[in-house]
Amino acid sequence: MRLTVHSGEDVFEGDFPPGTTLLSAFGALGIVIDTPCGGAGKCGKCRVRVEGSASLSLPGQVEREILGEALKAGIRLACMTGITGDCHVFLDPGSFQAIATIDEISFEGCDPLVRRRSLAIPSGGVKRDILSTLVENTRENLDLSDFYTGSLDGEISIYTRPGKLVAIDGRRSSNLGVALDIGTTTIATALLDLDSGEVLAKENSMNPQRAFGHDVISRITHTVVEREGLKTLSSVARKAVSKLIEVLCERSERRPGDINEVVVSGNTTMTHLLFGFPVRSIAIAPFSPFYGGIVRKKAGEIGLDLSPFSEVLALPAISGYVGGDIVAGILSTGLREREDELLIDLGTNGEIVISSGGSLLCCSTAAGPAFEGGNITCGVGNVSGAIEKVSFDKSLTLKTIGDTSPSGICGSGLISIVSLFLKNGMIEALGRFSDLQSWPGELRDRFDKKRNGFILSGDVYITLKDLRQFQLAKAALRTGIEVLLKSFYKGGLKKIRIAGGFGSKIDIGDLFTTGILPPWLDCEIVVEGNTSLRGAIATLLYRSSLAEIDAIIGCSKYIELSSLDEFRNMYIDRMGYI
Ligand code: FES
């Protein structure tokens, strides 16, 4: 069945088996729309206009209740509507999610993974063959067994990776690299000039695989229950990465054909899906990934149209749930060489690493996607308009990303809102809303009984169910921190580094108020932002990173928390706010 999606001047087309929901088809086409309820048919936010309703499944009770009269105008819910024939769907161009922010990053000097040297072909006689003479001039001991040969007119450039000649070519104007952090919720990228080390452009987007579930387990399940599931999810990720690279190049006026290296620092499941590796084993004890070490593939093998000798390198995982993104975080913070420091990644897997006695003790806590805006009724990623902070002083003030009108709640906004509720006595110890009469007047007026939620602005609100999602996430992370520190660590903690795609907006006080951090912690706390992307950049720019990555893997010890009684017992306890 042919689906054609129109959005402004853009047209997307694809063929799908009958019964595929519009939302799944959008995901496969690399289109991300707002789905605050994760496609559960509850939020009514995934509205699209359709033409050819005879080619779509009939609206069920959920759609009839949510859409009412709008159904007659051709409006449908993408998550509830199945394709039964050829049809056209129209999206408001503004309904695509665009990430608004990414950390400021700067690096000094470089010794990149792909080096370029300009050399002139000797005109006179040479002692040995011309190629060996050229390579001798690089003063590197290089394997010459397999390299790309481009134009050899005039001044040429020699491209090398550690220990290897990779290309001789005279026509390329730049030597570029892409750093790629692929997470469950967000994909962050940066384009770099590998000759100068300059960050030329940065861009990120929501991971369109969200249409197949907001957490890694849903996506793994999709690859198991759907015959083409792995292929579909791989293709969705690859298209999203291609699109981001296109945007990076457009913005910096560079050519994708000059990109010679891509370094991926993703969580284990997302990296596997990008490379097309099976992920089933990550969901079953002992949760082993399909691959462990550094993986390299030709860019073309994973659907990226870059330079003819471009390769994609994925950083190694420590375990199924402590992936290359955390290795990159350890690399970029220099954690291995720092004693008594804790790195916490506030993402879907909630990874925690502590440097102790020359080892790196790691665990993950299955926090779920709440800290990234997932499974929250009006939750969004770091998009323009996302509420990132709230404050109350006689009246409620909302701070949104880009200072535009509120479009949803991102992870840091959620933490800030829960903190505000707790400070104003609006949540009881077990997590329920307290008696409305005890709330400050202006806040009390914002409670909507019909939605059983607190209205932040217009259609953006937070419900009791959302508070439960937050409790699950914070209990998992808090328990992980406590068990790791109390049972596996005997030192005196000097510093905590908070990482995550939204880290720079988090108020450290809110982490204590909401109970994400235990109150007895007494050390310096710094907010690091996206350490994963920084680690991918460091790998591209400094060859010494590869040896450091080996050292990180060599001294890392993974602790499986879910098998420990003390984790299970404490987890229930930490759900509350006592
Ligand atoms: S109703 Fe479709 S995503 Fe919420």
Side-chain angles (χ1 to χ4, degrees):
M1 312 282 153
R2 190 112 190 115
L3 170 69
T4 310
V5 183
H6 306 262
S7 173
E9 291 181 357
D10 292 328
V11 177
F12 304 80
E13 285 183 295
D15 293 310
F16 299 94
T20 307
T21 64
L22 290 175
L23 186 60
S24 298
F26 289 171
L29 292 172
I31 299 170
V32 184
I33 61 167
D34 197 12
T35 57
C37 74
K42 290 187 179 151
C43 67
K45 289 281 177 67
C46 60
R47 293 171 191 228
V48 295
R49 187 167 64 79
V50 297
E51 250 175 35
S53 53
S55 309
L56 297 166
S57 60
L58 290 173
Q61 193 184 344
V62 169
E63 272 197 286
R64 289 200 302 274
E65 275 172 14
I66 293 180
L67 295 174
E69 289 295 300
L71 272 170
K72 290 189 190 142
I75 304 299
R76 300 292 302 266
L77 295 182
C79 69
M80 294 283 120
T81 306
I83 301 168
T84 57
D86 295 349
C87 57
H88 290 256
V89 173
F90 297 83
L91 293 176
D92 170 0
S95 61
F96 284 91
Q97 293 191 348
I99 296 286
T101 61
I102 189 167
D103 302 338
E104 283 309 313
I105 302 171
S106 62
F107 286 82
E108 279 177 23
C110 65
D111 176 23
L113 268 190
V114 177
R115 281 185 194 145
R116 174 168 76 155
R117 285 206 175 87
S118 294
L119 296 166
I121 292 189
S123 50
V126 291
K127 273 188 277 165
R128 296 162 60 195
D129 60 281
I130 291 175
L131 179 61
S132 303
T133 307
L134 281 174
V135 167
E136 260 168 32
N137 289 339
T138 68
R139 301 201 181 143
E140 289 183 67
N141 194 10
L142 298 173
D143 171 5
L144 309 183
S145 59
D146 180 23
F147 58 90
Y148 168 81
T149 312
S151 160
L152 297 181
D153 292 336
E155 188 175 89
I156 58 160
S157 293
I158 283 198
Y159 295 82
T160 62
R161 291 198 174 87
K164 199 171 172 4
L165 174 69
V166 291
I168 300 184
D169 197 352
R171 262 203 228 118
R172 301 187 178 276
S173 49
S174 309
N175 178 25
L176 305 177
V178 168
L180 167 64
D181 164 34
I182 180 161
T184 315
T185 306
T186 308
I187 305 177
T189 55
L191 180 69
L192 292 110
D193 183 322
L194 297 183
D195 291 340
S196 67
E198 187 189 350
V199 179
L200 301 170
K202 293 167 288 176
E203 183 67 23
N204 55 2
S205 74
M206 302 302 289
N207 186 337
Q209 292 177 342
R210 271 166 60 109
F212 302 89
H214 281 207
D215 52 49
V216 290
I217 295 298
S218 322
R219 300 200 198 150
I220 293 172
T221 306
H222 186 81
T223 69
V224 175
V225 299
E226 296 291 330
R227 202 154 52 90
E228 298 283 302
L230 176 58
K231 220 164 134 193
T232 306
L233 286 182
S234 284
S235 147
V236 167
R238 291 170 182 187
K239 278 185 191 153
V241 171
S242 289
K243 181 82 196 153
L244 280 165
I245 290 176
E246 228 179 274
V247 174
L248 288 171
C249 288
E250 265 170 36
R251 187 165 307 153
S252 57
E253 297 182 355
R254 305 297 170 115
R255 297 182 327 123
D258 287 336
I259 296 173
N260 299 323
E261 187 84 7
V262 178
V263 169
V264 182
S265 62
N267 79 42
T268 311
T269 303
M270 294 308 115
T271 307
H272 272 55
L273 292 175
L274 179 70
F275 277 76
F277 295 145
V279 287
R280 184 193 181 109
S281 61
I282 299 173
I284 304 166
F287 315 112
S288 308
F290 177 78
Y291 83 88
I294 285 181
V295 177
R296 266 193 178 281
K297 277 198 181 235
K298 299 271 182 218
E301 285 179 71
I302 65 163
L304 301 180
D305 189 10
L306 308 177
S307 92
F309 52 93
S310 186
E311 293 189 354
V312 182
L313 176 153
L315 297 190
I318 293 169
S319 76
Y321 290 96
V322 178
D325 49 349
I326 302 306
V327 172
I330 295 169
L331 174 73
S332 68
T333 55
L335 196 74
R336 187 182 68 84
E337 300 216 310
R338 301 175 192 275
E339 194 62 9
D340 301 311
E341 291 199 6
L342 187 68
L343 175 68
I344 301 172
D345 189 285
L346 282 179
T348 306
N349 290 340
E351 299 92 340
I352 306 164
V353 186
I354 186 161
S355 55
S356 167
S359 295
L360 293 164
L361 306 176
C362 324
C363 65
S364 67
T365 59
F371 290 141
E372 297 180 86
N375 282 352
I376 300 297
T377 310
C378 295
V380 289
N382 285 3
V383 299
S384 183
I387 296 171
E388 56 178 345
K389 192 162 177 44
V390 295
S391 54
F392 177 66
D393 180 13
K394 295 200 183 83
S395 65
L396 186 71
T397 307
L398 309 176
K399 165 85 181 72
T400 62
I401 295 177
D403 293 320
T404 57
S405 57
S407 62
I409 305 164
C410 66
S412 58
L414 180 65
I415 293 170
S416 181
I417 291 163
V418 174
S419 175
L420 182 137
F421 285 176
L422 287 163
K423 284 177 192 157
N424 287 281
M426 296 158 69
I427 303 181
E428 294 175 346
L430 290 179
R432 282 189 294 266
F433 284 123
S434 60
D435 181 358
L436 279 185
Q437 295 316 312
S438 66
W439 290 22
E442 205 265 346
L443 299 179
R444 190 188 318 136
D445 295 343
R446 287 174 174 268
F447 190 81
D448 180 348
K449 287 206 172 109
K450 216 165 112 207
R451 289 166 167 163
N452 196 21
F454 179 87
I455 309 293
L456 289 144
S457 166
D459 267 354
V460 183
Y461 57 97
I462 183 162
T463 67
L464 189 59
K465 185 206 116 235
D466 300 331
L467 296 180
R468 288 278 179 253
Q469 290 296 322
F470 176 83
Q471 281 180 276
L472 293 172
K474 79 110 184 169
L477 197 61
R478 164 76 174 268
T479 310
I481 295 168
E482 287 198 57
V483 171
L484 196 66
L485 288 180
K486 287 181 176 166
S487 304
F488 297 92
Y489 173 67
K490 301 283 172 262
L493 206 56
K494 290 184 193 145
K495 193 180 234 180
I496 298 176
R497 297 172 185 270
I498 308 286
F502 61 103
S504 54
K505 288 173 236 111
I506 286 182
D507 183 322
I508 290 169
D510 289 342
L511 295 176
F512 284 104
T513 306
T514 54
I516 292 172
L517 293 180
W520 42 263
L521 281 176
D522 182 20
C523 62
E524 186 188 354
I525 299 173
V526 290
V527 175
E528 293 273 5
N530 190 341
T531 57
S532 171
L533 187 66
R534 288 215 309 268
I537 293 176
T539 309
L540 269 173
L541 293 187
Y542 306 106
R543 287 187 173 199
S544 56
S545 297
L546 293 177
E548 176 59 17
I549 287 166
D550 272 350
I552 289 169
I553 296 295
C555 70
S556 295
K557 292 183 187 149
Y558 178 68
I559 298 161
E560 180 53 58
L561 292 182
S562 62
S563 60
L564 303 175
D565 285 344
E566 60 187 308
F567 180 85
R568 287 194 290 265
N569 297 337
M570 194 187 288
Y571 176 75
I572 304 292
D573 226 39
R574 295 297 179 257
M575 291 275 288
Y577 294 106
I578 303 162

